[in-house]
Amino acid sequence: MIFVALAALLWGLGGALAGRFMEGIPPGVLIPLRFLLSFLLLLPLLLRHPPRPEERRRLLAVGFSLSGAQAFYYLAIHAAGVATGIFLQYLAPALLTLHALLRRERLPARALFGVALALLGAYILVAGGVGLAGSPLGVAFGLLAALSFALYAATSQGLKTPPLVSLGVATGVGSLLALPVLLLNLPHLLALDLEAWGAVAYLVLFGTLLPFTLFLQGVRLVPAREATLLAMLEPVAGALFAWPLAGEPLRAEALWGGALILLGVVLNWR
């Protein structure tokens, strides 16, 4: 579980820095660049170590689900705000828990209670005392992000292809899907300044390549439902990192919400 926890910490660090460095980059530029640059960095490894033939079709599914998770997440944030986007994306553990119950898997009561506590904690942490906001379209994007993230974790479960190779295929799929969007936003791309390119480079290296590789490694070792639940440490880490890095005060709601998330994760620990 340490791999997923480290991935969540890196995602949280990226979130803490996002408001400071990435506000001026439109989603139509940021999302495609994230996929394209990640793919180009992984392409030499992908050519040298092609994916296992028996897993290629499954890796395409991983790529489509990862593309949806990232694209819908940023669209949700753009349309409904950061708090709503984060909370809705982290409905993924609840979706996987519901799927397990529909398949008649026997889950202990403490695990179900833990998922409920973690969701309550996520709501308290990201919504604070003001609640969630956003348009119906933003909520729809957030729900699609949750579904895509759940599918990404489920399709990645048990892969034998090395994590970096798997991520190379996934970002390649994302690049192909997002390339038309990048071309439509070419004027915005050409207008990026040096600081914006630095933010993109950070997001590619420390917000994509490293954390998603860690997550892919982690989901080999723990069930997808538990991995997505553990990934809910991201908003906790984001709140903690935002205190020293972005000058945001550490609210009481963040402490209470973070404690509930941690308790929910512990209750689901095998």
Side-chain angles (χ1 to χ4, degrees):
M1 298 182 81
I2 186 65
F3 295 108
V4 180
L6 288 173
L9 289 176
L10 285 170
W11 284 326
L13 178 59
L17 293 172
R20 187 172 180 180
F21 296 116
M22 300 172 191
E23 285 182 349
I25 309 175
V29 173
L30 182 59
I31 297 169
L33 272 184
R34 185 177 186 179
F35 283 120
L36 182 59
L37 295 178
S38 298
F39 172 66
L40 291 177
L41 288 172
L42 292 173
L43 182 58
L45 179 66
L46 193 59
L47 293 175
R48 186 168 182 177
H49 303 282
R52 302 163 69 101
E54 66 273 16
E55 290 192 337
R56 288 175 183 173
R57 185 175 298 180
R58 189 172 166 195
L59 286 171
L60 290 177
V62 172
F64 278 108
S65 57
L66 174 61
S67 302
Q70 291 300 292
F72 289 129
Y73 174 60
Y74 278 103
L75 289 171
I77 286 177
H78 187 70
V82 175
T84 301
I86 291 175
F87 175 73
L88 291 175
Q89 184 191 43
Y90 281 109
L91 291 177
L95 294 178
L96 289 169
T97 300
L98 178 61
H99 180 256
L101 292 174
L102 291 175
R103 293 181 58 188
R104 300 183 183 278
E105 292 184 25
R106 301 191 65 172
L107 299 177
R110 62 177 176 80
L112 299 177
F113 184 57
V115 172
L117 279 182
L119 290 176
L120 176 61
Y123 178 83
I124 293 173
L125 190 155
V126 302
V130 298
L132 299 175
S135 64
L137 181 62
V139 172
F141 283 143
L143 293 175
L144 287 171
L147 178 60
S148 299
F149 187 37
L151 289 172
Y152 171 66
T155 52
S156 301
Q157 182 80 51
L159 279 173
K160 294 182 173 57
T161 302
L164 279 174
V165 177
S166 302
L167 187 60
V169 175
T171 54
V173 172
S175 298
L176 288 175
L177 293 174
L179 188 58
V181 178
L182 184 62
L183 293 176
L184 288 174
N185 286 275
L186 194 57
H188 295 293
L189 173 64
L190 297 176
L192 294 182
D193 58 19
L194 189 60
E195 183 179 7
W197 278 108
V200 170
Y202 171 84
L203 186 60
V204 168
L205 293 173
F206 298 103
T208 305
L209 292 180
L210 185 53
F212 277 106
T213 300
L214 289 168
F215 184 86
L216 283 170
Q217 180 64 31
V219 84
R220 294 163 183 255
L221 306 174
V222 298
R225 187 184 66 83
E226 294 180 19
T228 54
L229 186 67
L230 188 58
M232 291 179 74
L233 293 176
E234 176 191 350
V236 182
L240 293 174
F241 285 132
W243 181 24
L245 295 177
E248 296 182 11
L250 194 58
R251 300 172 290 111
E253 293 91 339
L255 297 175
W256 278 109
L260 289 175
I261 291 173
L262 290 172
L263 180 57
V265 169
V266 169
L267 288 173
N268 277 267
W269 195 293
R270 290 191 163 193

